[in-house]
Amino acid sequence: MGIKSGVAKAGIKPSGQLDILVMKFKPSVYSVYLTQNSLAAAPVIYDREIREKQKKISAIVVNSGNANAATGEEGLRNAEEMAKIVADKFNIPSEEVLVFSTGIIGVQLPMDKVRKGINKAIDNLQDWDLELSAKAIMTTDSFPKYAEEEIKVNGKSFFVKGISKGAGMIHPSMATMLAYIFTDVKISKPLLDEITKDILEKTFNSIDVDGCESTNDSVLFVATGESDIEITEENKDLLVKPLYSVALKLAKMIVKDGEGATKLIEIDVRNAKSNEEAKKIGESIAVSNLFKTAMFGNDPNWGRILSAVGQLHLDIDFSKVKLFIGEFLIYDGKPIKFDRKKAEDYLKRNSEIKIKLILNRGSSNWKYYTSDLTYKYVEINAEYTT
Amino acid sequence: MGIKSGVAKAGIKPSGQLDILVMKFKPSVYSVYLTQNSLAAAPVIYDREIREKQKKISAIVVNSGNANAATGEEGLRNAEEMAKIVADKFNIPSEEVLVFSTGIIGVQLPMDKVRKGINKAIDNLQDWDLELSAKAIMTTDSFPKYAEEEIKVNGKSFFVKGISKGAGMIHPSMATMLAYIFTDVKISKPLLDEITKDILEKTFNSIDVDGCESTNDSVLFVATGESDIEITEENKDLLVKPLYSVALKLAKMIVKDGEGATKLIEIDVRNAKSNEEAKKIGESIAVSNLFKTAMFGNDPNWGRILSAVGQLHLDIDFSKVKLFIGEFLIYDGKPIKFDRKKAEDYLKRNSEIKIKLILNRGSSNWKYYTSDLTYKYVEINAEYTT
């Protein structure tokens, strides 16, 4: 395999766990989506510049344990240096290296450790190990997140493989958390951009844990072109399907691992006027603390769900709305009698919950994913201080 | 005093506490602000119609324990009937009565109880008792909320008195929760509207408990004209000051009584480009779960505060930003060394916290009020099901 990865323990994480990841591949087309938070971290600012001028990249370097955010000029110089160390070691231009960081905000990178760690990771380079790579980018994550698919077409084949991290500060705007997804198809950059933009919206941009957008959110798609499969406008569905599937798996793992979460909740908004409206409605439910605590309490509280929709002031006619929790219809244009015990049991017994809201005002659908709000979320974010 | 109140226990609240309030006064100019939530409750829909056609009102009726929301046609008929019972009993037109409800969503009002309760309340009519009135509109509130001021001008005097309720589902858009504020000055309706609109924005529309907007939010200002003081464009500050003061006191009581809250937090945003921007920034911090849990955990976590600002994508230059917790400067254009122990002690020892964010990009200021997010909030909203 042409994609290589190396990891190292640089000592940035107080726990002493893996905290450096370097990946090397042949010069490849890519699409990268970076947070819009105006407190953007130094690596995000650095990567924005690379994105402006570079059609191809051939390496990435990631550190966990320190976000290099709110670190001013010194932070920017450190992000640049991370790219340069990698470039020098591989004898490639600095502009072919993207840099990512995740962890604590407002603390300068310990560059002595970072330098040694990057060199060590490169010395450890091997065929891409997804699990090890995913471990090296974890922060408050409780499990490594990776997914892969192989697709066979007329005797040929290609793959889509990815890793991601994230558990808190999850509420994306242009992208969320860190995720790196590779495929070996041949594809032009414009077509890759077109396909990934749509997939991004439906996956990493449709998840929430706590309504809080991060300073370092980044999602990278890379196509190395090493397989014999060429993707064009005509056969693009070949790639869209597995790419969407891997991205969605990775995004859902982030929600499932949401700080303190006991449930992954799918909010399926149907028959809205537009995709934008459907997404906005899903999001409004997803971020409602009253909804999220009700889900934790196994309470089929339809009033809180509809009220979160009403909060958008979209002039929804609630006499046309149907609401399901699992397979149970719990609101049908007006309050109805439903078997509360059964609906509660469904919520109690499942860690993956489906909410379906049928608006009957158009033909657009959207799925949004969120977690419940628990005592543990408060504990993680109140008791464990920075 | 020309303003009368009567309360009763109608049995709408399972606890058997006071749940009906009727107020009667001479036909008076008024300004009423009603929720924009499109799942608006029946009394809100009813009051909107009255607002369209009536320059003066002379009575209000409020029930607690049942919001009369998501109750369809039957709910609307019940709201109308509540007004009619009051109107008949006082021998006034129905159009002079505003109706309000608060409590559980999606359950029809028990009209037998409501009818008897309203009649009983009217039989109990007496000079306005603020504390009793405030008690009759409580739901999850832990204390009754009322405030009053008397203003003397050249030997004459006037008063501003008000009551409010609210503890959860607090995140206003046009108005929040229930609040009724009376003054006895003489004033035209247009001038009262102008003054109260501005005061509403700076008080009830600048508070948050949980980001969730209610279906029944209503704020009513009434001027009975019984005092000898006449308010005009020229001397309007006479009224603005005490009216703002009473409204702010009532609004802050709602935040202080926020479900599970241990802290009332004032977010003072300074030197923004515009009032709208300053308010938006205050709100973004106020609704951040990461900020609210940090406050609960006594953690002076400036990264979470600045990140909530960055989330608005306003292109803020954080190298110009200063951030204070209490009197402690904790961020000064970049991370700085500050006495963390002292800042933590300040958060630990005070139940009223001040956060000051100086943006240095304009001359507009705004204060927003919020509460912390605690285990108790999760308990109240997860364990006590509907």
Side-chain angles (χ1 to χ4, degrees):
Chain A
M1 181 161 60
I3 303 170
K4 308 286 179 191
S5 70
V7 299
K9 296 175 179 177
I12 309 168
K13 280 182 184 167
S15 65
Q17 294 303 305
L18 291 171
D19 48 19
I20 295 279
L21 166 66
V22 175
M23 291 185 68
K24 175 76 184 75
F25 38 92
K26 58 170 287 207
S28 301
V29 293
Y30 70 104
S31 310
V32 66
Y33 301 93
L34 303 161
T35 186
Q36 290 192 311
N37 192 307
S38 44
L39 188 72
V44 169
I45 296 169
Y46 178 84
D47 290 349
R48 276 188 202 143
E49 285 175 22
I50 300 294
R51 183 174 57 185
E52 282 305 300
K53 54 187 176 195
Q54 278 296 112
K55 290 240 166 69
K56 294 192 171 187
I57 56 165
S58 63
I60 65 170
V61 54
V62 194
N63 76 273
S64 54
N66 185 315
N68 195 2
T71 46
E73 286 299 319
E74 188 179 338
L76 263 178
R77 280 198 304 274
N78 289 338
E80 276 167 33
E81 191 185 338
M82 286 173 68
K84 190 160 186 320
I85 300 168
V86 172
D88 288 352
K89 193 102 178 178
F90 289 133
N91 198 22
I92 57 175
S94 265
E95 291 76 26
E96 286 187 16
V97 185
L98 289 178
V99 180
F100 305 90
S101 299
T102 179
I104 190 170
I105 292 177
V107 176
Q108 295 295 350
L109 280 171
M111 283 306 290
D112 276 354
K113 292 177 180 173
V114 171
R115 276 179 213 112
K116 281 180 203 154
I118 294 176
N119 280 303
K120 206 167 130 193
I122 293 177
D123 292 339
N124 291 337
L125 219 60
Q126 54 173 327
D127 278 351
W128 187 18
D129 184 320
L130 270 77
E131 188 178 355
L132 259 189
S133 305
K135 277 185 180 159
I137 62 173
M138 282 165 63
T139 53
T140 55
D141 303 64
S142 68
F143 60 89
K145 300 170 178 65
Y146 54 98
E148 57 187 307
E149 297 201 8
E150 194 178 346
I151 300 90
K152 291 190 198 300
V153 198
N154 304 329
K156 297 173 184 173
S157 78
F158 71 93
F159 66 74
V160 175
K161 304 183 185 200
I163 63 173
S164 70
K165 65 117 335 197
M169 221 184 217
I170 299 281
H171 188 71
S173 98
M174 263 309 271
T176 181
M177 299 302 89
L178 301 184
Y180 308 104
I181 301 179
F182 286 73
T183 176
D184 56 350
V185 297
K186 296 184 204 307
I187 187 170
S188 72
K189 179 158 168 50
L191 186 56
L192 184 68
D193 285 343
E194 179 200 314
I195 289 174
T196 56
K197 195 175 171 211
D198 188 51
I199 288 176
L200 180 84
E201 277 307 305
K202 290 181 177 149
T203 57
F204 297 100
N205 270 356
S206 291
I207 61 173
D208 169 77
V209 168
D210 53 15
C212 297
E213 188 185 301
S214 145
T215 51
N216 291 57
D217 294 346
S218 308
V219 176
L220 173 69
F221 296 91
V222 175
T224 65
E226 290 169 301
S227 124
D228 290 327
I229 308 277
E230 181 156 6
I231 299 294
T232 61
E233 193 59 44
E234 285 64 46
N235 71 350
K236 67 180 179 186
D237 281 352
L238 262 186
L239 177 63
V240 167
K241 231 179 121 184
L243 205 54
Y244 171 70
S245 164
V246 167
L248 185 63
K249 276 180 200 163
L250 293 172
K252 284 166 81 168
M253 282 182 207
I254 291 174
V255 182
K256 196 159 193 165
D257 200 18
E259 287 168 343
T262 67
K263 292 185 172 78
L264 165 65
I265 305 152
E266 176 188 284
I267 302 161
D268 184 4
V269 180
R270 305 192 73 83
N271 300 112
K273 275 190 180 164
S274 65
N275 281 350
E276 291 66 36
E277 181 182 278
K279 186 183 174 197
K280 218 169 154 182
I281 288 171
E283 181 185 29
S284 188
I285 299 168
V287 301
S288 161
N289 280 351
L290 286 174
F291 168 68
K292 288 160 96 91
T293 46
M295 288 298 98
F296 175 51
N298 302 309
D299 180 7
N301 191 322
W302 57 265
R304 293 188 187 172
I305 299 174
L306 297 189
S307 180
V309 179
Q311 187 159 353
L312 291 171
H313 312 159
L314 291 171
D315 230 351
I316 302 273
D317 180 354
F318 286 96
S319 76
K320 292 185 179 162
V321 168
K322 280 175 197 285
L323 178 65
F324 292 84
I325 292 187
E327 60 183 22
F328 306 102
L329 179 65
I330 60 168
Y331 178 91
D332 189 9
K334 60 184 175 189
I336 54 166
K337 284 211 165 71
F338 63 94
D339 191 332
R340 174 171 294 269
K341 183 78 182 53
K342 276 193 181 160
E344 284 173 4
D345 278 353
Y346 169 77
L347 291 173
K348 261 177 211 153
R349 289 189 186 151
N350 292 283
S351 60
E352 300 205 2
I353 300 297
K354 285 182 195 294
I355 305 283
K356 188 161 70 181
L357 180 73
I358 303 173
L359 296 166
N360 284 320
R361 59 194 244 128
S363 57
S364 294
N365 307 323
W366 200 274
K367 286 181 183 172
Y368 212 99
Y369 303 88
T370 192
S371 57
D372 52 345
L373 175 61
T374 70
Y375 296 115
K376 191 84 188 164
Y377 179 87
V378 177
E379 184 185 328
I380 291 171
N381 287 295
E383 306 285 318
Y384 307 155
T385 62
T386 46
Chain B
M1 182 162 58
I3 303 169
K4 308 285 178 192
S5 70
V7 298
K9 296 176 180 177
I12 309 167
K13 281 183 183 165
S15 64
Q17 294 303 304
L18 292 170
D19 48 19
I20 294 279
L21 166 67
V22 175
M23 291 184 69
K24 174 77 182 75
F25 38 90
K26 55 171 287 206
S28 301
V29 292
Y30 70 103
S31 309
V32 67
Y33 301 93
L34 303 161
T35 186
Q36 291 192 310
N37 192 309
S38 44
L39 187 72
V44 168
I45 296 168
Y46 178 85
D47 291 348
R48 276 188 202 143
E49 283 175 23
I50 299 293
R51 184 174 56 183
E52 283 303 301
K53 54 188 176 196
Q54 278 297 111
K55 291 243 167 68
K56 293 191 173 188
I57 57 165
S58 63
I60 66 171
V61 53
V62 194
N63 77 273
S64 54
N66 185 315
N68 195 1
T71 46
E73 285 300 318
E74 188 179 339
L76 262 179
R77 281 197 305 274
N78 289 338
E80 276 167 32
E81 190 185 339
M82 284 174 69
K84 193 161 183 321
I85 300 168
V86 172
D88 288 352
K89 193 102 178 176
F90 289 132
N91 199 22
I92 56 175
S94 265
E95 293 75 27
E96 288 187 16
V97 184
L98 289 179
V99 181
F100 306 90
S101 299
T102 179
I104 191 169
I105 294 177
V107 177
Q108 295 295 349
L109 279 171
M111 283 306 289
D112 277 352
K113 293 178 179 172
V114 171
R115 276 178 213 112
K116 280 180 204 154
I118 294 176
N119 281 303
K120 207 168 129 192
I122 293 176
D123 292 339
N124 290 337
L125 220 60
Q126 54 171 330
D127 280 349
W128 187 17
D129 184 323
L130 270 77
E131 188 178 354
L132 259 188
S133 305
K135 276 185 181 160
I137 61 172
M138 282 166 64
T139 51
T140 54
D141 304 64
S142 67
F143 61 89
K145 300 172 179 64
Y146 54 98
E148 56 186 307
E149 297 200 9
E150 195 180 342
I151 301 89
K152 291 190 198 298
V153 198
N154 306 329
K156 298 173 182 173
S157 77
F158 72 94
F159 66 73
V160 175
K161 303 181 186 201
I163 62 173
S164 70
K165 65 116 334 197
M169 220 182 217
I170 300 282
H171 188 71
S173 99
M174 262 311 270
T176 180
M177 301 302 91
L178 302 185
Y180 308 103
I181 300 179
F182 286 73
T183 176
D184 55 351
V185 296
K186 297 184 203 308
I187 186 171
S188 72
K189 181 159 166 52
L191 186 56
L192 185 68
D193 285 344
E194 180 200 314
I195 289 172
T196 56
K197 194 174 173 213
D198 187 51
I199 287 175
L200 180 85
E201 278 305 306
K202 290 182 177 149
T203 57
F204 297 101
N205 271 357
S206 291
I207 60 174
D208 170 78
V209 168
D210 53 14
C212 297
E213 188 185 301
S214 146
T215 51
N216 291 57
D217 295 345
S218 307
V219 176
L220 173 68
F221 296 90
V222 175
T224 65
E226 288 170 302
S227 123
D228 291 327
I229 309 278
E230 181 155 7
I231 300 294
T232 60
E233 193 60 42
E234 285 64 46
N235 71 350
K236 68 181 178 186
D237 280 352
L238 263 185
L239 177 63
V240 167
K241 230 178 121 185
L243 205 55
Y244 171 70
S245 164
V246 166
L248 185 62
K249 276 179 201 162
L250 293 171
K252 283 166 81 169
M253 282 181 209
I254 291 173
V255 182
K256 195 156 193 168
D257 202 18
E259 286 168 343
T262 68
K263 292 185 172 78
L264 166 66
I265 304 152
E266 176 189 286
I267 301 162
D268 184 5
V269 180
R270 306 193 72 84
N271 300 112
K273 274 189 181 165
S274 65
N275 281 349
E276 292 65 36
E277 180 182 277
K279 185 183 175 198
K280 217 168 157 185
I281 288 171
E283 182 185 28
S284 188
I285 299 169
V287 303
S288 160
N289 281 352
L290 286 175
F291 168 67
K292 289 160 96 91
T293 47
M295 289 297 99
F296 175 51
N298 303 308
D299 179 8
N301 192 321
W302 57 265
R304 292 187 187 172
I305 299 174
L306 297 191
S307 179
V309 179
Q311 187 160 352
L312 291 170
H313 312 159
L314 290 171
D315 229 352
I316 303 272
D317 180 354
F318 286 96
S319 74
K320 291 185 180 161
V321 168
K322 279 175 198 286
L323 179 64
F324 291 83
I325 292 188
E327 60 183 23
F328 306 103
L329 179 65
I330 60 168
Y331 177 91
D332 189 10
K334 59 186 176 189
I336 53 166
K337 285 209 164 71
F338 62 94
D339 192 331
R340 175 172 293 270
K341 184 77 182 53
K342 277 193 179 159
E344 284 173 7
D345 278 353
Y346 169 77
L347 291 172
K348 261 177 212 154
R349 290 191 185 150
N350 292 283
S351 61
E352 301 205 1
I353 300 296
K354 285 182 195 295
I355 305 284
K356 188 161 70 181
L357 181 73
I358 304 173
L359 297 166
N360 284 319
R361 60 195 241 127
S363 56
S364 294
N365 306 324
W366 200 273
K367 286 182 183 171
Y368 212 98
Y369 303 87
T370 192
S371 57
D372 52 344
L373 176 61
T374 70
Y375 296 114
K376 192 83 190 166
Y377 179 86
V378 177
E379 185 185 328
I380 292 171
N381 287 295
E383 306 286 318
Y384 306 157
T385 62
T386 46

